[in-house]
Amino acid sequence: LDTFSSPESLWRDVKVMGDHAYVVSEGGGHIQIFDLGDVDNGNVVSRGFTSFGGSSATHNIIANEDSGYLYRVGGGSDLGLRAYSVGANGTPGSATQPIQASVQSNLYVHDAQVVTYDSGPYAGREIAFCFSGFGNGGTSTTLRIFDVTDKSNVFLVGSLGSYPGRAYCHQGWLSEDKKYIYMNDELDEGSTRSTTT
């Protein structure tokens, strides 16, 4: 429909929440926002770039529509989970002017899935499953689970612990019933590494 300029990079990620697309890049720019409200008529409107403190580079962006928060992860050394409210479900900010709610920056998060539980012991809690490590993800790499319900009090619920033969914890996804998580790693292939089990 249209072409828009953005920071040069080989890596970009996009998530849609409501009628807006949020784009991040390892080339920087924090979050680039596009209004898709009239996309059915062939119109996409660029709302420009956000600007926040800290690194503007991002590897992935995660959307939790239940809570109204976006999360930026990765993009540089020890860049953890960064939360932004976009005005959905009563959160502050707006779709075109997200507000940075918290920054967890003492580890590297390569990817994450953030969900709000609607039943069980975590009912009503927003939980982040982070595929993470230190030193750009290559040290103490594992699945770490954080409670991010209160953005001023993010805390570790638990972790898997380092597992043998890993290179670094790359990504994963919850089963539909949210009872199991499937995860994989990266760079464990080849003659010097074991295969993922």
Side-chain angles (χ1 to χ4, degrees), residues 170-188:
H170 187 263
Q171 66 192 32
W173 201 254
L174 286 167
S175 60
E176 191 171 332
D177 61 8
K178 299 178 184 164
K179 290 183 179 180
Y180 302 96
I181 193 158
Y182 302 91
M183 58 182 269
N184 65 2
D185 50 23
E186 186 174 48
L187 305 175
D188 65 336

Side-chain angles (χ1 to χ4, degrees), residues 1 6 19 37 46 63 67 69 72 104 123 139-140 151-152 160 166 192-193:
L1 297 178
S6 62
D19 57 3
S46 173
S67 70
Y69 280 88
R72 292 170 52 218
Q104 186 286 323
T139 305
S140 298
K151 304 303 181 280
S152 63
L160 180 64
R166 93 290 179 272
T192 59
R193 301 265 186 199

Side-chain angles (χ1 to χ4, degrees), residues 18-91:
D19 57 3
H20 287 78
Y22 299 91
V23 183
V24 296
S25 166
E26 288 186 349
H30 295 278
I31 303 172
Q32 188 174 14
I33 302 171
F34 295 97
D35 187 334
L36 306 177
D38 197 31
V39 71
D40 289 340
N41 293 317
N43 299 312
V44 176
V45 178
S46 173
R47 297 295 183 193
F49 294 86
T50 61
S51 182
F52 304 101
S55 174
S56 66
T58 310
H59 184 67
N60 283 328
I61 188 166
I62 295 90
N64 182 358
E65 292 187 73
D66 292 333
S67 70
Y69 280 88
L70 296 170
Y71 295 86
R72 292 170 52 218
V73 297
S77 180
D78 293 334
L79 294 175
L81 198 64
R82 295 157 278 175
Y84 304 86
S85 59
V86 294
N89 300 325
T91 65

